Amino acid sequence: MFKAILFDLDNTLIDFVQMKEMSCKAAIAAMVGGGFPLDEKKAYKELFALYGVHGIENTTIFQKFLQKFLGHVDYRLLAKGISAYRKVQSSFLEPYPDVRSTLIKLKEKGLLLGIVSDAPRLKAWTRLGETKLEDFFDVVITLGDTKKLKPHKSPFQKAINSLQINPKEILFVGDNPRRDILGAKKAGMKTALAKYGQVFEGKEIIADFELNHFSELLKIINEKQK
């Protein structure tokens, strides 16, 4: 019987990939429209190549992008790109279908809920606030809390310590097998792979459950509570 559920944030609760793709496309279109000397398709590909090197959460990626191709940061183009990015970001940052209604039902069952995310503290809380999910969670562990990325044991252990629950009574839900599922399993938790948001492979790592839709969590919890 589970007493708590921990979640990854991006691509588990929030459709982060769609938001990132649409925001970056808007930024590139704005910079190319302002005179950046690459076509949009190539520029978008190059931008994501830089994300691959510096990390998807890098806060100076557009400066690095302009520096690489222009040899300097053109602040006129930078402002166009960031402005377009932010306008689109707010409109595409949404929870997956039925996330909010499912979380309500889980809370009604008396379960403690929490988040373990690799996102920086402010970014994680901002996303929760913008999607109106911030009040559902009893514990939120971010990169700023442990300085360690999953699957390192530190963020998982900090969440366990905060909840004060045996890890065997905690279900961890995440989209990344090698970060979320592996790390949670090593910490002694049961795991559920969010197939609906999965981007990265990891077929060798087997979760205890698979979710094709977020609301399927209720079936797992109901069966365990019988």
Side-chain angles (χ1 to χ4, degrees), residues 20 24 44-59 61-62 85:
K20 199 72 176 179
C24 286
Y44 177 79
K45 183 178 179 180
E46 294 289 350
L47 177 64
F48 264 78
L50 284 176
Y51 271 128
V53 174
H54 299 286
I56 200 68
E57 296 283 1
N58 191 280
T59 58
I61 199 70
F62 292 127
Y85 182 98

Side-chain angles (χ1 to χ4, degrees), residues 209-221:
F209 308 96
E210 290 188 352
L211 303 174
N212 292 307
H213 192 283
F214 189 83
S215 62
E216 292 174 8
L217 261 177
L218 292 171
K219 181 179 180 181
I220 293 172
I221 297 302

Side-chain angles (χ1 to χ4, degrees), residues 111-181:
L111 289 156
L112 294 175
L113 304 179
I115 287 174
V116 179
S117 173
D118 283 339
R121 185 183 291 126
L122 181 57
K123 286 192 174 185
W125 278 106
T126 299
R127 287 171 198 158
L128 288 171
E130 289 179 346
T131 54
K132 296 180 173 61
L133 296 178
E134 73 275 18
D135 293 329
F136 284 105
F137 302 102
D138 302 282
V139 59
V140 176
I141 306 300
T142 68
L143 180 60
D145 296 300
T146 66
K147 306 298 189 293
K148 299 292 184 180
L149 296 170
K150 296 176 284 185
H152 194 279
K153 67 179 181 180
S154 292
F156 297 98
Q157 192 60 51
K158 189 171 182 64
I160 293 169
N161 293 344
S162 297
L163 292 171
Q164 296 185 329
I165 294 176
N166 189 313
K168 294 180 180 178
E169 298 176 307
I170 302 174
L171 177 65
F172 192 94
V173 183
D175 65 285
N176 190 322
R178 295 192 178 99
R179 288 185 181 271
D180 299 317
I181 304 305

Side-chain angles (χ1 to χ4, degrees), residues 4 7 42 58 64 81 90 103-104 108 111 135 180 220 222:
F7 301 92
K42 181 173 176 55
N58 191 280
K64 290 179 172 61
S90 61
L103 292 176
I104 290 171
E108 289 173 347
L111 289 156
D135 293 329
D180 299 317
I220 293 172
N222 289 337

